[in-house]
Amino acid sequence: MSAGDVGTATGPVVRRLAARIRPPLLPLGILLILADALGVLRWTALLGIAVLLGAGLLERVRPPAAPLRVVESPVRGPWRALNSPATKVPSHGTHGLGQTWAIDLVLDPPDGSRPELGSGGQWRRPEEYPAFGTPLLSPVDGVVVRVHQRRRDHRARSGWVSLLYLIVVEGFVRSFGGARWIAGNHVVVRADDGVHAALVHLRRGSVRVRPGERVAAGQQLAECGNSGNSSEPHLHVQLCDSPHLAAAGGLPMAFRAGAPDGTDGLPANGELLGARPGPDA
């Protein structure tokens, strides 16, 4: 049964419940297995395995059906799409953390200043990437409901070995820390219709707004960084039904004039965003 089949077979209440009980199951399952292995508790390994299998099944439950919302682009300039819902859904391979229709954007100027994977060392400084420190804008009119900006901007995983380390080791470890460790620095804005827009992997200390502050679409919220579970400086942006990413269900979105042909939409993997030319364009 596919992820879409699971989502079709369950109602909105079940799908919302799945999103909210999913986050603690992974660490709980690991702890139960470790407790048995260390002799702290008896016969808990099988229970831990069952919990992990349950967490995996819940990752396949789609969020409730919702209408497509058109929002403003959060960036200006030649940004290229990665992990786009225009290519596949769920875009990041999971429905967890409200990521079903999330998209990653990397700044990719025509002068070739964005380093290619494997072209240099394994751990490039984030300042070597053109996206680092660039302004990020609110895609909606609304009120800021969450701000987190304490995570450091780590070096990019710029080689195949370091990228594999990020996927296999770092991502697994960060999952124990919860959504803040995975998302890194982030801002969540509640739009006037109740939908939440999340901008993720921001530069530490760059957030310009505070919780409770009203913002307008197009207003700068922060700068692009490389915090959390990020391989290089980029923006991860999504719409979801809760300000708490750990318990959020994703919502479909499109950027105004964001498709490569200039219509409302999103670029597919490898395509350039069509909206908001840079200030020098």
Side-chain angles (χ1 to χ4, degrees), residues 111-269:
D111 61 7
S113 56
R114 177 194 168 207
E116 294 185 8
L117 180 67
S119 62
Q122 295 291 328
W123 316 91
R124 286 182 182 268
R125 293 165 47 249
E127 292 84 0
E128 296 181 47
Y129 290 79
F132 190 73
T134 55
L136 301 178
L137 317 173
S138 177
V140 296
D141 296 327
V143 176
V144 178
V145 290
R146 290 184 71 84
V147 169
H148 182 66
Q149 58 172 337
R150 297 178 181 177
R151 305 295 171 193
R152 68 183 180 87
D153 293 287
H154 55 71
R155 286 179 176 265
R157 302 338 183 203
S158 49
W160 292 108
V161 173
S162 59
L163 181 61
L164 183 64
Y165 176 77
L166 171 69
I167 296 172
V168 176
V169 179
E170 284 187 282
F172 179 76
V173 172
R174 285 195 179 99
S175 67
F176 283 89
R180 284 189 174 187
W181 284 88
I182 296 173
N185 304 317
H186 60 278
V187 171
V188 180
V189 178
R190 180 186 291 120
D192 292 336
D193 62 357
V195 171
H196 296 81
L199 277 64
V200 175
H201 305 314
L202 311 179
R203 185 178 185 179
R204 181 166 65 176
S206 71
V207 178
R208 296 188 171 195
V209 293
R210 296 178 296 177
E213 181 176 344
R214 183 162 186 84
V215 296
Q219 178 178 336
Q220 182 174 347
L221 301 181
E223 296 175 3
C224 184
N226 198 45
S227 57
N229 209 50
S230 172
S231 59
E232 69 171 274
H234 75 284
L235 172 64
H236 171 110
V237 59
Q238 64 186 53
L239 296 185
C240 46
D241 62 4
S242 171
H244 306 286
L245 300 184
L251 298 171
M253 69 175 177
F255 294 149
R256 197 175 312 281
D261 62 0
T263 60
D264 295 347
L266 295 174
N269 287 350

Side-chain angles (χ1 to χ4, degrees), residues 24-30 32 45-57:
L25 292 185
L26 177 60
L28 175 60
I30 296 296
L32 288 172
L46 289 178
L47 178 59
I49 292 172
V51 169
L52 291 179
L53 290 174
L57 289 174

Side-chain angles (χ1 to χ4, degrees), residues 1-35:
M1 181 178 285
S2 70
D5 292 331
V6 174
T8 302
T10 56
V13 174
V14 174
R15 283 174 276 181
R16 289 191 181 94
L17 180 62
R20 282 149 178 75
I21 66 176
R22 203 163 32 206
L25 292 185
L26 177 60
L28 175 60
I30 296 296
L31 289 174
L32 288 172
I33 294 172
L34 289 177

